[in-house]
């Protein structure tokens, strides 16, 4: 019988999915090299991601940053966002189950789609004819 998983309820749960997700992302053949080239200090990036997700999911007000801007210089396109989402969903499905976990996936999908659209638009506007 499959054991019922718990839902996401607190900062420990967020730290767990963030750590697990970036563990997978760093090893991924498509998006791993992008992270490993760009992130100089994981001991800074991971806590920033705990705060980002805790603000979105738990309503804490401790994230200050402008996440989209950090992605502008990166070599990422739709295929990379698709892989990001695939790994993120797999991570959440392995660890959690419930309305908050479902909301987390929805939020991630919406942000990924927005980032991808904005990057595509910026590049179109700034490319030479
Ligand atoms: C393939 C897709 C993606 C790649 C390769 C990527 C990579 C990166 C990199 C290299 C940084 C900068 C880290 C640093 O300066 O140390 C960053 C920052 C960040 N990313 Fe992504 N990212 C991707 C998609 C996403 C998505 C879909 C989300 C949200 C759902 C997200 C959320 C963030 C946030 C919140 C930060 C800023 C953290 C801070 O304030 O320092 N990223 N990302």
């Amino acid at each position: 019988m499959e054991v019922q998983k718990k839902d996401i309820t607190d900062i420990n749960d967020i730290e767990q999915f963030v750590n697990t997700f970036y563990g997978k992302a760093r090893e991924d053949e498509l998006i791993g090299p992008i992270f490993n080239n760009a992130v100089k200090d994981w001991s800074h990036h991971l806590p920033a991601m705990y705060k980002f997700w805790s603000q979105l999911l738990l309503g804490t007000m401790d994230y200050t940053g402008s996440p989209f801007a950090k992605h502008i210089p990166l070599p990422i396109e739709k295929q990379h966002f698709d892989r990001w989402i695939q790994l993120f969903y797999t991570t959440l499905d392995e660890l959690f189950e419930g309305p908050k976990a479902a909301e987390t996936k929805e939020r991630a999908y919406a942000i990924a789609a927005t980032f991808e659209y904005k990057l595509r638009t910026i590049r179109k506007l700034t490319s030479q004819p």
Side-chain angles (χ1 to χ4, degrees), residues 15-103:
E15 291 185 9
Q16 192 189 0
F17 82 67
V18 168
N19 292 341
T20 308
F21 169 71
Y22 285 101
K24 288 187 201 298
R26 291 176 71 174
E27 286 181 5
D28 184 78
E29 56 179 10
L30 182 66
I31 62 173
I34 302 172
F35 279 105
N36 291 321
N37 276 332
V39 178
K40 300 285 167 254
D41 183 3
W42 284 92
S43 67
H44 173 83
H45 186 52
L46 293 174
M49 297 313 297
Y50 307 152
K51 287 186 183 175
F52 173 76
W53 281 110
S54 130
Q55 175 131 316
L56 286 178
L57 300 173
L58 308 176
T60 51
M61 296 303 288
D62 51 357
Y63 177 73
T64 50
S66 39
F68 176 68
K70 304 216 163 178
H71 300 83
I72 295 174
L74 300 177
I76 46 177
E77 296 177 355
K78 181 151 192 322
Q79 53 170 328
H80 304 99
F81 284 104
D82 288 348
R83 180 66 59 86
W84 191 105
I85 281 293
Q86 190 191 327
L87 292 177
F88 194 82
Y89 278 25
T90 306
T91 303
L92 284 190
D93 290 343
E94 276 170 13
L95 298 172
F96 298 103
E97 188 173 339
K100 207 71 183 172
E103 183 194 335

